[in-house]
């Protein structure tokens, strides 16, 4: 798509459109009605042809516009984009020109005219923004293509608000509108007389992942620092979230330090892990990775089994429980240094114990939803430079009946139970991830390795060196992705592993299965992987 840009001054939006090339659209010409307009130099720097058509002192609008149309006729033009073009166009021009768009610095119909920012500040609104609309002869009118909001802050003046509207709204909305026209996702609907009546924007839909999102979150705390002391940080809360979470959790140890960036991150990871299980479950998290996890008949036993996976790494870690914490569990928790405890409630006697540790943060997240998706957050997201990645949360929870047994040796019922436990826990281990488990407790965890074989070696080493009263002998190994070669199976067999759960799907699956058969190991495929990269 070829664009003709009309501007009277700097043409910042036109320059941004040229740089962004939304939907492959690119400017064929920039035209101004002012001699020496700054947009001319900006266009020349981008090697965009320019035209200057100044209206004569006694020249009519119609005559001036006919000369503009004549100049534009020398270029390939599919769309006309106005940017601070300080003239109202006539029907004659609009009928002869392709679809013409304009961006206005307010959420029309609010605050039309040349002083939109002044009007917004005078009105005391807390949200303004911009509107991209189809141009008609009426001033700041015409069918709306898209809008983009921005907040108005207490200390805003006109200059600050204008700057934010340009960079956070106009630079977002105008390229979006152009992209929709370039890709055919936006169509102008006209009445019987050919007058633009509305705009159909198919690009504004997308099912679970719409073409655009609005996120409204309130800053609830300024944190001491970010991941490191030299980084500033703050906490924002989603007031609509109904799922149990650490952001809204009550902190029940008044003397403790406030939660920090890493505390929130680790506590969120810990809570996400224990809510995988219906039975009493406990997890100890360090740097968002499980140092240990277990389920048992009692919460205290689950915590003991989780801690004994790697008590050394659990030092300074985060504890999460999926049942209200009692005194016996609390006594075990405070036996070594921990940063945070997260649970859906505490007995009075447990709080007496936990509050003896001056800087132990004690978070009460309230009742867990037990997997009720009606009140659970559906998506997870990660901010990256220039954008944001959005995905559905990994809610896979295979049962023993879902597994495909691929080896001559079939897993026992006990091994199948361990496989299911191990898979649910492994979902919360950074990739490449390998986990050894027996019963419903972890034995060794190999996380975040760039080689899957190294992850197996690490899990075996942790099981033999750091686990208390546990061993890789007879354990189940879980892998978050397929094994590309048999070497990891051979490494696991040498460590004493008897059974394996993995996604399958490698071109070398048969070689991997043969390696397991040669060593009398049972192996099951899930058919899905569980990478966790952040």
């Amino acid at each position: 798509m070829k664009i003709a840009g009309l501007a009277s001054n700097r043409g910042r939006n036109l320059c941004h459109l040229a740089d962004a090339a939304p939907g492959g659209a690119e400017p064929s010409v920039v035209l101004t009605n002012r001699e020496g307009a700054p947009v001319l130099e900006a266009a020349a720097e981008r090697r965009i042809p320019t035209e200057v058509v100044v209206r004569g002192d006694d020249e009519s609008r119609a005559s001036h516009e006919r000369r503009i149309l004549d100049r534009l006729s020398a270029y390939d033009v599919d769309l006309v984009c106005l940017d601070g073009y300080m003239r109202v166009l006539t029907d004659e021009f609009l009928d002869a020109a392709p679809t013409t768009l304009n961006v206005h610095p307010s959420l029309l119909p609010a605050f039309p005219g040349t002083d939109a920012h002044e009007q917004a500040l005078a009105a005391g609104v807390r949200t303004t923004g911009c509107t991209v609309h189809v141009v008609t002869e009426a001033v700041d009118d015409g069918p709306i293509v898209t809008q983009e909001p921005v907040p108005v802050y207490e200390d805003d003046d006109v200059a600050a608000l204008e700057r934010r509207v340009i960079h956070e709204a106009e630079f977002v909305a105008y390229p979006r509108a152009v992209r929709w026209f370039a890709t055919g996702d936006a169509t102008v609907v006209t009445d019987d007389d050919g007058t633009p009546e509305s705009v159909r924007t198919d690009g504004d839909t997308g099912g679970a992942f719409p073409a655009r999102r609005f996120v409204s979150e309130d800053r609830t705390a300024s944190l001491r620092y970010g991941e490191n002391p030299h980084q500033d940080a703050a906490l924002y809360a989603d007031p609509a979230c109904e799922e149990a979470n650490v952001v809204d959790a009550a902190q029940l140890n008044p003397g403790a330090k406030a939660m920090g960036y890493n505390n929130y991150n680790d506590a969120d990871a810990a809570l996400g892990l224990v809510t995988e299980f219906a039975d009493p479950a406990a997890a100890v998290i360090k740097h968002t990775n499980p140092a240990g996890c277990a389920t048992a008949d009692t919460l205290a036993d689950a915590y003991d089994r989780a801690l004994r996976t790697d008590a050394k790494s659990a030092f300074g870690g985060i504890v999460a429980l999926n049942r209200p914490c009692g005194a016996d569990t609390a006594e075990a928790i405070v036996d070594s240094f921990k940063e945070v405890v997260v649970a859906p409630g505490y007995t009075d006697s447990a709080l007496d114990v936990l509050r003896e540790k001056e800087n132990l943060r004690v978070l009460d997240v309230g009742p867990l939803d037990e997997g009720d998706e009606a009140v659970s957050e559906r998506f997870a997201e990660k901010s990256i430079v220039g954008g944001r990645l959005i995905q559905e949360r990994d809610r896979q929870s295979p049962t023993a009946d879902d597994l495909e047994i691929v080896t001559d040796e079939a897993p026992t019922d006990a091994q199948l139970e361990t496989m299911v436990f191990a898979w649910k826990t492994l979902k919360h281990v950074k990739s490449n991830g390998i986990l050894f488990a027996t019963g419903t407790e972890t034995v060794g965890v190999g996380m975040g390795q760039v080689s899957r074989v190294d992850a197996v070696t690490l899990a075996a080493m942790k099981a033999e060196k750091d686990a208390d009263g546990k061993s890789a002998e007879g354990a189940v190994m879980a892998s978050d992705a397929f094994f590309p070669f048999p070497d990891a199976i051979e490494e696991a067999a040498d460590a004493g592993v008897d059974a394996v759960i993995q996604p399958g799907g490698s071109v070398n699956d048969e070689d991997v299965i043969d390696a397991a058969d040669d060593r009398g190991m049972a192996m099951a495929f899930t058919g899905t992987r569980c990478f966790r990269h952040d």
Side-chain angles (χ1 to χ4, degrees), residues 158-463:
V158 171
L161 184 57
E162 178 185 15
R163 184 166 53 250
R164 197 162 58 257
V165 168
I166 289 173
H167 289 276
E168 297 180 16
E170 295 180 15
F171 281 7
V172 173
Y174 221 163
R176 177 195 302 139
V178 170
R179 182 179 70 251
W180 285 348
F181 277 97
T183 57
D185 287 323
T187 306
V188 178
V189 179
T190 60
D191 61 17
D192 293 338
D193 297 328
T195 302
E197 191 173 61
S198 63
V199 177
R200 186 177 69 248
T201 53
D202 298 333
D204 209 11
T205 62
F209 297 97
R212 47 200 292 248
R213 303 188 320 138
F214 293 135
V215 177
S216 178
E217 297 175 342
D218 300 324
R219 189 182 66 199
T220 57
S222 294
L223 305 179
R224 300 195 312 280
Y225 51 81
E227 286 183 291
N228 301 290
H230 64 276
Q231 296 170 265
D232 291 336
L235 176 67
Y236 286 78
D238 175 6
C241 179
E242 299 180 53
E243 184 176 354
N245 65 86
V246 298
V247 174
D248 291 329
Q251 187 165 327
L252 303 183
N253 193 356
K257 293 184 293 187
M259 292 277 286
Y261 182 98
N262 293 331
N263 299 141
Y264 276 112
N265 201 28
D266 288 345
D268 175 69
L271 180 61
L273 173 51
V274 295
T275 54
E276 293 277 358
F277 304 104
D279 292 333
V284 182
I285 296 289
K286 195 71 173 290
H287 302 304
T288 71
N289 271 303
C293 180
T295 67
D297 292 336
T298 68
L299 197 62
D301 191 23
Y303 174 73
D304 176 66
R305 293 168 183 264
L307 181 67
R308 287 191 296 106
T309 302
D310 189 358
K312 177 180 70 177
S313 296
F315 182 85
I318 310 293
V319 175
L321 313 169
N322 71 348
R323 295 286 195 281
C325 179
D328 51 352
T329 307
E331 291 281 3
I333 290 171
V334 300
D335 193 49
S336 61
F337 172 59
K338 303 295 186 305
E339 290 273 8
V340 181
V341 182
V342 184
Y346 301 83
T347 64
D348 290 342
S349 55
L351 286 176
D352 290 340
V353 172
L354 297 171
R355 285 170 175 163
E356 291 176 359
K357 296 294 183 179
E358 181 180 350
N359 279 320
L360 177 64
R361 290 84 154 185
V362 180
L363 301 186
D364 184 351
V365 297
L368 302 181
D369 59 32
E370 297 182 355
D372 181 2
E373 295 190 15
V375 296
S376 296
E377 296 293 289
R378 180 176 178 183
F379 300 109
E381 58 185 80
K382 173 181 173 60
S383 178
I384 59 176
V385 174
R388 187 171 293 270
L389 295 171
I390 310 292
Q391 66 172 345
E392 290 185 321
R393 289 167 68 183
D394 186 358
R395 294 192 175 281
Q396 61 171 312
S397 185
T399 66
D401 292 337
D402 296 323
L403 304 180
E404 177 190 2
I405 310 305
V406 295
T407 47
D408 295 337
E409 183 77 20
T412 65
D413 288 345
Q415 287 174 329
L416 287 171
E417 180 185 25
T418 302
M419 287 179 176
V420 170
F421 164 82
W423 190 259
K424 289 181 177 181
T425 305
L426 183 64
K427 286 166 50 181
H428 300 265
V429 175
K430 297 295 184 291
S431 299
N432 285 322
I434 293 288
L435 185 141
F436 290 1
T438 57
T440 56
E441 61 184 278
T442 51
V443 171
V445 185
M447 71 286 284
Q449 303 303 300
V450 293
S451 161
R452 192 159 299 278
V453 178
D454 288 347
V456 175
T457 302
L458 177 59
M461 182 273 288
K462 297 296 286 183

Side-chain angles (χ1 to χ4, degrees), residues 2 4-6 65-66 68-73 75-82 89-101 134-135 188 190 194 196:
K2 301 296 185 181
L6 273 61
E65 290 177 358
R66 281 193 292 270
I68 291 174
L69 288 168
D70 183 61
R71 294 285 187 92
L72 294 181
S73 67
Y75 300 90
D76 185 13
V77 177
D78 303 303
L79 189 70
V80 177
C81 292
L82 308 186
L89 298 172
T90 64
D91 281 342
E92 180 181 353
F93 178 93
L94 296 172
D95 289 342
T99 297
T100 301
L101 304 180
V134 177
V135 177
V188 178
T190 60

